[in-house]
């Protein structure tokens, strides 16, 4: 028996049915578990493993293909997947554009329309009014990362009639979602004009520390910053200083260097900051689960037919 083992907590019955039917059509039997311990011997015998848990690398003795159910794969790189060239490696980066882009638009509007302050005033039974507000309309938006998440975010923001949407990527390749795309080497010249800076970058040696103290200082006074990529990109002490001084009007972080954030971490007390617990790309959203399972099924068919996998991770670049 050729086994596919899925270790995922959030798959619904429709997702499982889709995967089971595709597996059977391609000569496999699919097994669904919520933990490594529960999977046991089936995981040890599985030819294909579908999971976001890097510890499956320790258990999948017969594994020939590992499909990460997450977009980011830094956890697998740290666990040693790059040392296993015998294992095909794919991810689900294209499945998270909808949920993460909605989160970005939500927190951007909350900051620009001063929702945290209004909500706190109402909670305290106050009646705060006429705070100065800003709009995505006519704003200059800078998006770091032009992949699925960045491109989907650009599409969503386009509906608000921004001034310009500028992308930054490793290659600088132009894509239709952006008014223009530049390379990372040009970032310093772009930051001073941006009203809203959105970071969607994965964790790689090149992106670590990208949002440095020097680059935060280059940002426009009163700008807003959102990070949904990885916390390793940002100099958090410098960001706290920029928020507390009023240099930046607000920031929203869904990712951080230490997760969960310690209770006594200074970032928790920064001014004008929205913190969320790494949930912008949570697969509790039904559409995310559907896309995730669909991409996996597409590659099951490719694998069975001997074709290249559609969602392979670039091992050199780490995404």
């Amino acid at each position: 028996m050729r086994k596919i083992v899925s270790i995922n907590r959030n798959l619904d019955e429709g997702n499982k049915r889709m995967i089971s039917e595709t597996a059977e059509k391609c000569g496999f039997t699919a097994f669904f578990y919520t933990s490594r311990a529960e999977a046991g011997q089936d995981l040890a015998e599985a030819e294909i493993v579908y999971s976001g848990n890097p510890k499956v690398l320790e258990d999948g003795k017969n594994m020939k293909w590992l499909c990460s159910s997450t977009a980011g794969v830094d956890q697998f790189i740290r666990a040693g997947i790059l040392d296993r060239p015998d294992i095909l490696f794919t991810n689900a980066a294209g499945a998270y554009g909808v949920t993460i882009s909605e989160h970005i638009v939500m927190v951007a509007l909350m900051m620009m329309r001063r929702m945290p302050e209004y909500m706190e005033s109402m909670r305290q039974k106050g009646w705060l009014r006429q705070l100065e507000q800003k709009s995505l309309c006519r704003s200059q938006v800078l998006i770091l990362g032009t992949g699925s998440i960045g491109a989907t975010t650009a599409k969503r923001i386009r509906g608000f009639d921004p001034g310009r949407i500028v992308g930054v990527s490793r290659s600088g390749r132009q894509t239709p979602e952006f008014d223009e795309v530049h390379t990372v080497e040009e970032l310093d010249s772009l930051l001073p004009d941006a009203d809203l800076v959105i970071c969607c970058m994965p964790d790689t040696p090149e992106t670590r520390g990208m949002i440095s103290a020097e680059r935060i200082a280059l940002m426009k006074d009163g700008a807003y910053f959102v990070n949904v990529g990885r916390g390793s990109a940002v100099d958090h002490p410098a960001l706290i200083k920029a928020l507390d001084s009023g240099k930046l009007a607000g920031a929203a972080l869904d990712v951080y260097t230490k997760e969960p954030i310690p209770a006594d971490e200074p970032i928790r007390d920064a001014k004008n900051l929205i913190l969320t617990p790494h949930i912008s790309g949570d697969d509790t959203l039904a559409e995310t689960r559907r896309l995730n399972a669909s991409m996996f099924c597409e590659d099951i068919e490719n694998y069975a037919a001997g074709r290249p996998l559609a969602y392979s991770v670039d091992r050199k670049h780490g995404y």
Side-chain angles (χ1 to χ4, degrees):
M1 182 188 299
R2 301 179 74 185
K3 295 182 178 181
I4 295 175
V5 167
S6 167
I7 303 176
N8 294 279
R9 294 184 180 278
N10 292 324
L11 291 181
D12 60 35
E13 291 306 312
N15 306 145
K16 293 177 183 178
R17 183 167 57 252
M18 181 195 308
I19 294 169
S20 291
E21 290 174 355
T22 303
E24 184 177 355
K25 180 174 66 175
C26 294
F28 293 89
T29 301
F31 298 85
F32 299 93
Y33 300 104
T34 59
S35 70
R36 294 163 57 220
E38 184 185 4
Q41 187 61 27
D42 283 334
L43 177 56
E45 297 173 355
E47 184 172 342
I48 300 170
V49 177
Y50 177 46
S51 177
N53 187 341
K55 291 188 177 181
V56 297
L57 284 167
E58 302 171 12
D59 305 319
K61 308 302 183 184
N62 193 49
M63 181 166 45
K64 293 184 172 60
W65 166 27
L66 170 59
C67 177
S68 169
S69 57
T70 62
V73 295
D74 44 295
Q75 70 275 29
F76 287 102
I77 292 173
R78 289 193 297 271
I81 185 65
L82 298 184
D83 299 325
R84 302 284 299 275
D86 54 312
I87 298 177
L88 298 170
F89 186 34
T90 62
N91 69 349
Y96 291 89
V98 171
T99 183
I100 295 180
S101 65
E102 288 183 356
H103 178 93
I104 291 168
V105 171
M106 174 187 72
V107 295
L109 289 174
M110 286 179 68
M111 291 189 293
M112 298 175 91
R113 301 302 297 269
R114 311 287 287 270
M115 283 301 104
E117 292 156 277
Y118 282 123
M119 292 169 67
E120 178 61 19
S121 172
M122 296 301 284
R123 192 182 72 82
Q124 297 289 347
K125 303 184 176 15
W127 194 254
L128 179 65
R129 299 187 67 197
Q130 296 186 327
L131 292 174
E132 182 181 355
Q133 300 188 36
K134 295 182 181 178
S135 175
L136 284 171
C137 180
R138 302 183 185 277
S139 286
Q140 304 294 313
V141 180
L142 180 63
I143 301 178
L144 314 184
T146 60
S148 172
I149 293 167
T152 306
T153 299
K155 289 179 184 176
R156 301 291 188 267
I157 290 177
R158 182 72 66 189
F160 291 88
D161 296 323
R164 290 186 76 72
I165 303 177
V166 178
V168 173
S169 69
R170 179 177 52 82
S171 67
R173 182 174 60 85
Q174 304 301 306
T175 61
E177 296 84 3
F178 299 87
D179 293 304
E180 54 194 72
V181 178
H182 297 264
T183 64
V184 174
E185 287 72 25
E186 300 171 88
L187 177 57
D188 289 1
S189 66
L190 301 171
L191 287 168
D193 295 325
D195 298 296
L196 173 63
V197 180
I198 301 165
C199 185
C200 307
M201 293 290 198
D203 177 58
T204 69
E206 293 73 27
T207 63
R208 288 169 201 151
M210 175 181 287
I211 308 302
S212 61
E214 293 77 14
R215 284 182 167 149
I216 291 171
L218 289 174
M219 291 184 191
K220 178 188 287 190
D221 288 350
Y224 298 89
F225 175 70
V226 178
N227 188 18
V228 294
R230 285 294 184 266
S232 59
V234 181
D235 182 331
H236 289 104
L239 180 65
I240 294 170
K241 183 177 179 181
L243 289 168
D244 288 348
S245 69
K247 159 72 177 175
L248 296 183
L253 305 179
D254 187 53
V255 288
Y256 197 69
T257 46
K258 301 175 185 175
E259 296 181 7
I261 301 174
D264 60 350
E265 191 72 15
I267 195 76
R268 288 186 177 271
D269 298 317
K271 294 181 181 178
N272 300 318
L273 176 64
I274 297 174
L275 280 175
T276 50
H278 205 147
I279 46 78
S280 65
D282 201 322
D283 58 6
T284 54
L285 187 72
E287 179 65 6
T288 302
R289 294 195 301 269
R290 186 193 68 78
L291 289 169
N292 209 321
S294 296
M295 291 167 61
F296 180 46
C297 287
E298 179 184 346
D299 264 346
I300 291 173
E301 295 187 358
N302 287 331
Y303 180 87
R307 296 188 295 263
L309 302 182
Y311 304 103
S312 292
V313 173
D314 185 326
R315 293 177 187 244
K316 177 181 177 182
H317 294 114
Y319 56 87

